Amino acid sequence: MKKFLTALLLLALPATANAVTLEEAARIALENNPSLQNTARSIEIAEKNFRIAQGNKGFSITASGSGNVSKTEGSPHGESLSARLRGSLPIYSGKRLESQIESAKVGIDISKFDYLQAQEDLIYNVARAYIDALENWENTRVYLQTEQNLAEHERNIGELYDAGAKAKIDLLRAQVETANAQQDTAKSHAAYEVSLTNLATLMAIDSISNLTVEHVATSLELGELESYLEQATETRADLKSDALKIDQSEYALEVARSGKRPSLSAEVSTGVGAQKSDWHITPDASAGLSASWNIFDSKVTENEIQKAEIEMQQLELKMQSDSNSVREEVISAYKNLKIALTRLRTTKKAVELAEEERYISVERYRAGEGILLDVLDSEVSLATARKNHVSATYDVARYKFDLSHAIGDTLAALT
């Protein structure tokens, strides 16, 4: 059973020759992810809203018709038909129509920045899921190596026990440690498959049967914190979207204020009518200007203006809050990355020391000078050192993407 479990996990570990690279995973996600596709449709909607706003300022024609039957006591019933065409062109709307057009134009840019931010978020989430899968894979390899080491100890102790050179308690302890290591290996492999499932979901693929990952580069040169903060201010698509929403709210305020201004439009109409008496068709035509001015509306317009002002203030506060959050993200990612780079160096040295300790304890035990507890402790120390090094390695990769995402340039971290 022990050999079967080990062989099964060895077969299940990814073959890097057939692995999907992080760049490929991001590309597939950008092409297939339904949430991103849904966000892209928002650009089309914004463009339609702009055309609608433009159309409201243009010339419009409406057609109407009616037919009537009437009956008055003491007289025969009468019938009449009429048809009419009416054209209208707004001349002055108190800046309402113009503001709506400009607001819709800004809305297109907002939707484009929202789409860019959605792309950033998707690439970032793919990278995190990919790195999680890699870390779980490497941890599984560590657990599997520990399991194999303990199984080898168990085999050697079993031979010594059969020869009467070791007590049974040593054999039992070795068997228990091997069994525990098998459980750690199985749990770690399950975590690897879960992280692969998360990655597959982002890529919008149905199965993980052919999905494997490969190592990503962790080498980088870390610049100055202030340069990253400046770049975030200039690059973040969501901050640009926030600024445009404030601009859009100014147009919304102008639309509300237009309720206090007069409006003027030019109208032309033509039509025909006929009565049953002789069914003589009578044409007519007219043209003129139509003006309106809201004098009193129970403070509806005043409340709409105040509402628009409050909404503008909310957007300004949101941008300030988002700017603070971006600054916090950049600082946190920068410091985490800096610590991870230090950990990467120290954990590598710890692995070398733990390997030397294990070698000495094993040789002493074989020579009859050491005890089994020293051997098992050295295996635990080596496994811990290796897992710490794996954690540091992929924390570097993880925080590298955290920093790139925080400054709004996640795509650059792929290369």
Side-chain angles (χ1 to χ4, degrees), residues 227-246:
S227 66
Y228 293 115
L229 291 171
E230 292 175 4
Q231 187 174 351
T233 303
E234 297 172 357
T235 308
R236 285 282 294 241
D238 52 348
L239 294 184
K240 292 180 179 180
S241 177
D242 284 349
L244 287 176
K245 287 175 182 176
I246 294 174

Side-chain angles (χ1 to χ4, degrees), residues 126 145 202 205 338 379:
V126 168
Q145 183 62 57
L202 292 168
I205 58 179
K338 197 170 184 179
E379 289 290 356

Side-chain angles (χ1 to χ4, degrees), residues 138-372:
E138 291 293 346
N139 279 333
T140 301
R141 290 167 61 88
V142 170
Y143 284 121
L144 185 57
Q145 183 62 57
T146 303
E147 176 192 335
Q148 291 172 337
N149 291 345
L150 291 170
E152 179 66 17
H153 292 319
E154 179 187 341
R155 186 184 64 80
N156 292 336
I157 294 171
E159 292 175 355
L160 293 172
Y161 171 73
D162 292 338
K166 292 294 179 181
K168 187 173 183 179
I169 191 171
D170 280 3
L171 177 60
L172 293 174
R173 178 64 185 274
Q175 290 172 337
V176 169
E177 294 299 330
T178 303
N180 289 339
Q182 288 177 342
Q183 300 305 310
D184 291 336
T185 306
K187 287 189 292 184
S188 182
H189 187 262
Y192 164 70
E193 291 192 333
V194 169
S195 55
L196 272 189
T197 301
N198 294 337
L199 178 60
T201 300
L202 292 168
M203 295 169 64
I205 58 179
D206 297 330
S207 173
I208 64 171
S209 57
N210 296 318
L211 180 61
T212 57
V213 292
E214 68 175 22
H215 181 69
V216 296
T218 55
S219 59
L220 76 159
E221 293 183 6
L222 193 59
E224 295 296 325
L225 175 59
E226 287 302 321
S227 66
Y228 293 115
L229 291 171
E230 292 175 4
Q231 187 174 351
T233 303
E234 297 172 357
T235 308
R236 285 282 294 241
D238 52 348
L239 294 184
K240 292 180 179 180
S241 177
D242 284 349
L244 287 176
K245 287 175 182 176
I246 294 174
D247 293 342
Q248 195 177 47
S249 70
E250 293 177 354
Y251 291 118
L253 178 58
E254 196 64 34
V255 170
R257 287 171 176 168
S258 70
K260 288 188 172 183
R261 301 169 186 147
S263 63
L264 180 66
S265 61
E267 296 182 358
V268 294
S269 65
T270 183
V272 293
Q275 300 289 334
K276 181 182 177 183
S277 58
D278 56 4
W279 289 114
H280 178 69
I281 297 176
T282 305
D284 69 85
S286 64
L289 296 177
S290 175
S292 65
W293 197 341
N294 184 6
I295 303 299
F296 178 74
D297 62 359
S298 299
K299 293 189 176 182
V300 171
T301 300
E302 187 64 33
N303 285 313
E304 287 179 346
I305 293 172
Q306 293 175 3
K307 174 187 173 184
E309 290 173 340
I310 293 171
E311 289 175 343
M312 181 187 294
Q313 293 169 3
Q314 285 183 312
L315 290 172
E316 290 171 346
L317 290 171
K318 182 179 184 301
M319 183 173 182
Q320 182 179 349
S321 176
D322 289 347
S323 298
N324 292 338
S325 296
V326 167
R327 180 179 177 83
E328 182 182 354
E329 287 176 26
V330 172
I331 294 173
S332 297
Y334 182 89
K335 291 185 175 180
N336 286 334
L337 180 54
K338 197 170 184 179
I339 293 171
L341 287 169
T342 302
R343 288 176 51 221
L344 187 61
R345 293 190 294 270
T346 57
T347 55
K348 181 179 180 181
K349 182 63 176 178
V351 170
E352 296 172 356
L353 295 174
E355 287 174 343
E356 183 178 358
E357 178 192 7
R358 175 185 176 277
Y359 174 79
I360 293 173
S361 65
V362 170
E363 292 304 314
R364 282 174 56 83
Y365 185 77
R366 286 175 178 172
E369 297 177 2
I371 59 176
L372 179 61

Side-chain angles (χ1 to χ4, degrees), residues 1-11 144 147 179 181-183 185-186:
M1 176 62 185
K2 296 172 185 175
K3 292 182 179 179
F4 173 77
L5 179 59
T6 300
L8 179 64
L9 289 172
L10 280 170
L11 290 173
L144 185 57
E147 176 192 335
Q182 288 177 342
Q183 300 305 310
T185 306

Side-chain angles (χ1 to χ4, degrees), residues 380-391:
V380 171
S381 295
L382 178 57
T384 300
R386 285 174 173 169
K387 285 187 293 180
N388 287 340
H389 185 59
V390 168
S391 174

